[in-house]
Amino acid sequence: MKIYRINMNDLSIKTEEVPREWNHLGGRALTSAIVAKEVDPTCHPLGAKNKLVFAPGLLTGTSAPNSGRMSFGAKSPLTGGIKESNSGGSASQKLAKLGVKAVIIEGLPAEDKFYNLHIDNNGIKIEQETELLGKGNYEVIDRLSKKYGDKIGVITIGQAGEYKLCSANISVKDYHGNIRSAGRGGLGAVMSSKKIKYITIDDTGAPGVTVANPEKFKEASRLLAKSLKEHPVTGQGLPTYGTNILVNILNEAGGLPTRNFRMGRFAGANKISGEAMYETILNRKGKPTHNCHAGCVISCSQVYHDAEGKFVTAGFEYETIWGFGAVCYVDDLDIIAQADRICDDIGIDTIETAVAIATAMEGGLIPFGDGQGMLNLLREIEKGSPLGRIIGNGAGFTGKAFGVTRVAVVKNQAIPAYDPRAVKGVGVTYATTPMGADHTAGYAVATNILQVGGHVNPLAKEGNVDLSRNLQIATAALDALGLCLFVAFSILDNPDAYQAIVELVNAQYNLNLTENDMTTMGQSVLHNELEFNKAAGFTAKDDQLPEFFNEQIPPHNTTWDFTTEELQQVFNA
Amino acid sequence: MKIYRINMNDLSIKTEEVPREWNHLGGRALTSAIVAKEVDPTCHPLGAKNKLVFAPGLLTGTSAPNSGRMSFGAKSPLTGGIKESNSGGSASQKLAKLGVKAVIIEGLPAEDKFYNLHIDNNGIKIEQETELLGKGNYEVIDRLSKKYGDKIGVITIGQAGEYKLCSANISVKDYHGNIRSAGRGGLGAVMSSKKIKYITIDDTGAPGVTVANPEKFKEASRLLAKSLKEHPVTGQGLPTYGTNILVNILNEAGGLPTRNFRMGRFAGANKISGEAMYETILNRKGKPTHNCHAGCVISCSQVYHDAEGKFVTAGFEYETIWGFGAVCYVDDLDIIAQADRICDDIGIDTIETAVAIATAMEGGLIPFGDGQGMLNLLREIEKGSPLGRIIGNGAGFTGKAFGVTRVAVVKNQAIPAYDPRAVKGVGVTYATTPMGADHTAGYAVATNILQVGGHVNPLAKEGNVDLSRNLQIATAALDALGLCLFVAFSILDNPDAYQAIVELVNAQYNLNLTENDMTTMGQSVLHNELEFNKAAGFTAKDDQLPEFFNEQIPPHNTTWDFTTEELQQVFNA
């Protein structure tokens, strides 16, 4: 295995051996370790001192189920703290098969020119890019697939990235030619600051990943797959309805943030629910069930067509549908699908952008519920107009632009699709994760609402700090392995599945790790990240939800009532 | 003396006795004490928990020279920390004569309506305001002078304030009907969030300020006035050329930040210098010498006319001329005067706005040197367009909007007209004052460049931390007394003048303070402010200059080279 280091100051490329301490790190564990070690925490996120790092997970490139995620890391231009954001798509597995442990992109080019990178079995090439500048991700992927063939792996930024907007994501092509996103924290702006428009990855002739004990690996793999197939969430709910199964569940639970977090239930929920979407997809001959990377046994993705049966978008997620739906008070799934498509194409985080638009609605720019106005705002982002730059820099930025105080952000990152007053465990995660408000960093919704891994009352404080802490640690470990977060549903209810994951790592690397070692790895990831943020100037004051969550949210009329001291208990691991 | 407390939640007004611990506080000492005591440091600056406080200085309303400043305080929407910004004009003296120690405006109105306040000898009245909404400060002052007579005191916000922009100032009418500004930190947005468009102050029949020992007061007053008249800076330089005398001085010293802080000298300096301005004013029958409040013996203000001899602006300051001049690379004084007029009228900080425009120039929005483009951007602010909202939210915000890394801010407040690499004492002040980058918080330019109060080498580190510390403490005390900062020139060179100031306080309040007590008061003000900021989440990481100041600045080719540890020595008082 090797690390590629690309210095944009002089366009030089180095192949480095993997330092021993990083040998058994991957994914988020590796990106965060590299960022923590090599990036000055006080640097400007878009300046020469920041670095963009990406790394496949420890299990990526093998046949282990759901192990194909790639982590991207850097200092975030959105939060000002350390950031890891991971995505599906094919690039991660291809990189792993090419023996690439991580890619580090550092420095800034002296000249104002864009470049592309091509990674294959012969190494990396860097070339100036002019042709695809200003193009959206769909066109970039299409053109590169024509040039290199359908199987080419692509990592790219759209116009939002080129404008260095703080919500710009990094987009990754999947095996179907669709778009997967490392969405949160504006890492697309970091890629753009390094002047990289796209990276192509060709694994033709790649050596592939060595597994020390193939028999043991196969057995653990089979066990994990079986467990995922048997669990009601990963075996039935997600494959049928996608993540959007959550609209009805959260609405029922009173935790679906509606009209910029005013209510926990949305009158239009049934029109945008997973069940409604499933029917629509079937009627229009789309695909209700679809995967984001090879080896996925859940397949929570889908392909959504318009009324004429034409492709609109794939990977149409609950958080996106909530964002452009309930929080903006729009109940038209076709409009929301268009919003998702535009965001994928221009390369911008749907959660951040939807909450930014809800914030602009709060400020009176357009009315709540104005679906066409919402789409127009997305077109402004595509154009890079001043208004587009406001929205495209996220909810916090939009709030300042329009003098709005009701702005749902933590560490300047938009709060996702679960109201923290009605799902308190995930509220603790929003407040305390080093990532800024992020449901995936400690998905307490599982235990609060879905009753996976036991049950902790979502409306009370008791148990939710412990729940969030445990999940934050476990998630950091899963992110290190390159596993899809949804594997957690299975391991929370089935100790054998957790053991199978440990055995996958042991079988691949010839190790004797235990579950405790996984916990230690997760803790160590969080430790690196928290230390980085502290050195960047973060304090306990940053681990808070916005003031307005002291308002009661109907229907349960609960408020956010954790003290700073209570929240800081998350870090007593 | 009394405190007025206006609760905008229910539009109630209370008259309160002055608590004993605030009896001998005024100006900044009082606003910072009240904000530190009553405002939750983590609150949203535009939310219900912030308070807008204003207070005349301890000596304000008396015949003491240059004692008519008013301090405004709140949590700043620009910096997120505590803020005091003070201004000339007539309101402060009128309030003091009415026996008002401070006004505290708290809460937020339930309805989306604006109000005005009228303060006179009968108390305060609050009324809904509709007529003057959307109007600029010149029209507001003109209309209110017609309604109440020329002598009416006015505190108002322009359109920038109404839009709650983070650079919006609070504007104060002077005795000539011109506009003075509490410019820094966006306190106009706080006034707007409280839904106050303007405050009128009528001191007809006011009891006036009691002086315990009038003879002693008169003698100290005479001594201070004499000292100010005799000092070359306050007796000759400032009265003749205004603060703009500094353009040539800073240019000569290589510390005039030019073209977004790339160079320390500006080729066009002679065209925008105080000397050039003086000639132009004389030729056009303006007034080269003019005061901002009654009792000023310096009169550094002036009235600037256009080529047709029509009034354009008054109080045409060095920092404004530097900002719209050197830093934006514009060498046309008439254009700069128009920029000043627009900023006064719409009520926005000239320093923040000029640096924001330079930042937008850096991002390629308009070219450096494009004076008409600069004026167009100010008109966008007036309109409240998306572009205007970007620029009007300051340099840091504009940098984010356009993906610019070369952004001259500390604590998100724009760095003023003295390059910190060439005037290191003021650089230490920029980095460490709780106010965010602010030359007035510890004006080391005096000793670094003007050789007032001795000399400390502006290009070396030695002595500059001590210099900044001493000046920050002394300034906090002067700001408490309501004295103009320029009094410092005199007291730095003349111990008798400092003693005279102490005697003024003793004579007015029948006290026996010493110079040490003044130091203690200054320290205590800083202590309150630093504690507030710490509780708001500030750390030593916030006490830094931006990364790009590690570049050499010609002609001296010095860099900013203080470590965090060296800078923190400022607080070892």
Side-chain angles (χ1 to χ4, degrees), chain A residues 104-126:
Chain A
I104 303 171
I105 304 176
E106 57 193 26
L108 290 184
E111 291 182 88
D112 187 19
K113 292 176 180 171
F114 266 88
Y115 298 86
N116 67 63
L117 297 176
H118 183 76
I119 307 180
D120 65 16
N121 210 18
N122 300 313
I124 301 198
K125 271 191 314 192
I126 182 163

Side-chain angles (χ1 to χ4, degrees), chain A residues 66-79:
Chain A
N66 295 65
S67 64
R69 309 282 297 180
M70 177 134 74
S71 289
F72 295 85
K75 175 168 173 169
S76 163
L78 184 72
T79 69

Side-chain angles (χ1 to χ4, degrees), chain A residues 42-44 46-47 49 77-78 164-165 386-387 389-390 393 397 400-405 412 535-537 539 541 547, chain B residues 42-44 46-47 49 77 164-165 386-387 389-390 393 397 400-405 412 535-537 539 541 547:
Chain A
T42 65
C43 76
H44 196 297
L46 302 179
K49 292 180 175 178
L78 184 72
K164 292 188 262 188
L165 300 178
L387 181 55
R389 286 172 189 269
I390 290 173
N393 271 303
F397 198 83
K400 280 201 169 182
F402 295 105
V404 175
T405 55
N412 200 42
T539 73
K541 306 295 172 184
E547 207 170 304
Chain B
T42 64
C43 76
H44 195 297
L46 303 179
K49 292 180 175 179
K164 293 187 261 189
L165 301 178
L387 181 55
R389 286 173 188 268
I390 289 173
N393 271 302
F397 197 84
K400 279 201 170 180
F402 294 104
V404 175
T405 54
N412 201 42
T539 72
K541 306 296 173 184
E547 208 171 302

Side-chain angles (χ1 to χ4, degrees), chain A residues 412-434:
Chain A
N412 200 42
Q413 182 168 289
I415 293 180
Y418 314 86
D419 196 282
R421 293 160 291 187
V423 193
K424 294 199 173 183
V426 82
V428 176
T429 299
Y430 295 160
T432 59
T433 163

